[in-house]
Amino acid sequence: GALATGRSDRNDIEVTQNGDSYSRIEQNGTFQEAEVSQTGDGNESFVYQGGNSNNVGNAANDPDMSSTNTGVSQVGDDNYSIVDQ
């Protein structure tokens, strides 16, 4: 499952999951971008962004996540990541 919360404007979020995984993204401020890609089971990712103009990947301009800008990319099982900006 995925949970995303935001408390301002002009924020972008993209989460792609294939398998049984969990992702949580929290954004405060303006011009935040976050992108998470998870393949496999038991993966967890947490992204917390505060302030302005933070970027974890490029959620608006890389819809197929083909570039190296992917902020969080997890392949396999039982991976864990946390990003705090």
Side-chain angles (χ1 to χ4, degrees):
L3 171 66
T5 62
R7 293 190 179 95
S8 191
D9 59 1
R10 291 170 277 190
N11 296 330
D12 293 311
I13 295 173
E14 181 175 314
V15 177
T16 303
Q17 295 176 316
N18 182 1
D20 185 18
S21 298
Y22 177 80
S23 183
R24 179 179 179 134
I25 298 173
E26 294 184 12
Q27 295 175 317
N28 297 299
T30 305
F31 295 116
Q32 313 286 13
E33 293 189 26
E35 181 179 298
V36 175
S37 174
Q38 297 183 142
T39 301
D41 295 324
N43 297 317
E44 294 183 66
S45 70
F46 302 91
V47 177
Y48 305 101
Q49 294 176 315
N52 298 307
S53 301
N54 293 312
N55 186 326
V56 177
N58 190 336
N61 296 318
D62 193 19
D64 63 356
M65 291 180 279
S66 60
S67 78
T68 57
N69 287 340
T70 301
V72 178
S73 179
Q74 296 178 320
V75 178
D77 298 333
D78 303 315
N79 296 311
Y80 177 84
S81 69
I82 185 167
V83 177
D84 190 352
Q85 293 183 316

